[in-house]
Amino acid sequence: MSTDGDTEPPERSDTNQGQEAPQSSPKDVCEQEPGSPQVHAAVPMPPGSKQGVVDLRKLNTEELRCIKPSDNTVNPFANMKIQDSSFLDEIDDRSNCAKCSKSRKYFCYTCYVPLPCIAERIPSLQLPFKIDIIKHPREIAGKSTAVHAAVLCPEDVTIYTHPALPDYSTHTNDVVLIFPEKGAMGVKELLHPLGPPSQKRPRPHLPFSKVVFIDCTWNQTRRIYCDERVRGLRCVELDQHETLFWRYQRGKPKTYLATIEAIYYFLVEVHNATATTPYHGEYDDLLFFFKFMYEKIHSQYDPDCLRAYKDL
């Protein structure tokens, strides 16, 4: 399923390299050969066949009709404060982007703006720091969850397509990179010098003003991470959360998050480490489109048979 409204399970994974990359040293990353293996969507076999994982594109119409959604899936968003997105189900037709005039469903994934028909109905967030997302030029924009952040946080999120990106090498003390390279620190370690929050200092000055996320497949990371404009940044990893992403990632653990998930969890962890009050869903709406598409996928396909949710 692409982020512009199509609902077919994807053929490859959208990855955030802050969490999509394995725990490797910079040398390991830079020496890895490019070329991502093809990944297939997973569905149950047709009736009478042994259940297994198959390529959805090879099923005929009758076999596709046999796929049944699960009715006992626990809602992972039940305790979150995410604005109701049910009105998106009422949109049947595509319309033109107000900027580029291209046909889209919910938002334009090249202009990073919502379509006029929903612009006044979706949430808009302000973040405590700026976020840059570096996208690989071969990453399919329509399948990237990074676009969700740019649409919902237009004042604070900027997406660049490599190699057109800022030179972060001159701002290494003020910018951090979410990337699990060898020696990467956790959020608590990053914020440790600040000390615990207090009533006199309810929101301490953060040791950074910008956070960079890489949006591409693992085999594409070497080109971006090894860029001299990026490689000198302090690296932070997020390894305490499991992904809900529906696109299967071959050989990757569940702690490798989709880009929008990594952005969300980083914000929550920073809040919990620096605020005097508990977290009350201030950034939950970042998952507005992610939740909608997750539920749409799960309403059409049995999650017990989707390969992304299997312990392989």
Side-chain angles (χ1 to χ4, degrees), residues 180-198:
E181 65 99 7
K182 186 177 181 180
M185 68 184 81
V187 174
K188 290 184 178 180
E189 183 180 354
L190 173 68
L191 301 174
H192 178 70
L194 300 179
S198 64

Side-chain angles (χ1 to χ4, degrees), residues 9-11 37-44 51-56 243-254 297-298 301-312:
E11 300 169 14
Q38 185 177 17
V39 178
H40 295 253
V43 298
Q51 181 168 301
V53 176
V54 297
D55 186 346
L56 184 64
T243 185
L244 293 173
F245 197 44
W246 48 88
R247 199 163 285 134
Y248 171 63
Q249 306 167 67
R250 177 176 294 175
K252 302 298 186 293
K254 293 182 178 180
I297 285 287
H298 280 240
Y301 305 98
D302 185 349
D304 293 333
C305 297
L306 287 174
R307 197 172 186 182
Y309 299 104
K310 285 181 176 291
D311 292 320
L312 299 178

Side-chain angles (χ1 to χ4, degrees), residues 148-204:
H148 301 181
V151 172
L152 297 172
C153 312
E155 296 182 4
D156 298 312
V157 176
T158 305
I159 297 180
Y160 298 95
T161 300
H162 193 270
L165 69 151
D167 185 358
Y168 301 109
S169 64
T170 58
H171 302 280
T172 55
N173 293 327
D174 200 35
V175 181
V176 296
L177 173 67
I178 307 301
F179 190 85
E181 65 99 7
K182 186 177 181 180
M185 68 184 81
V187 174
K188 290 184 178 180
E189 183 180 354
L190 173 68
L191 301 174
H192 178 70
L194 300 179
S198 64
Q199 294 298 326
K200 294 183 179 180
R201 187 169 51 89
R203 177 68 72 173

Side-chain angles (χ1 to χ4, degrees), residues 79-98:
N79 296 323
M80 293 186 179
K81 297 179 179 179
I82 302 177
Q83 184 173 310
D84 179 35
S85 61
S86 59
F87 67 91
L88 296 177
D89 282 318
E90 302 171 2
I91 301 175
D92 296 323
D93 301 324
R94 300 166 73 89
S95 54
N96 295 333
C97 170

Side-chain angles (χ1 to χ4, degrees), residues 127-156:
L127 307 182
F129 44 79
K130 300 298 182 181
I131 289 178
D132 283 358
I133 300 172
I134 305 174
K135 186 174 74 72
H136 192 278
R138 296 178 64 183
E139 182 70 6
I140 302 174
K143 293 185 177 181
S144 171
T145 64
V147 180
H148 301 181
V151 172
L152 297 172
C153 312
E155 296 182 4
D156 298 312

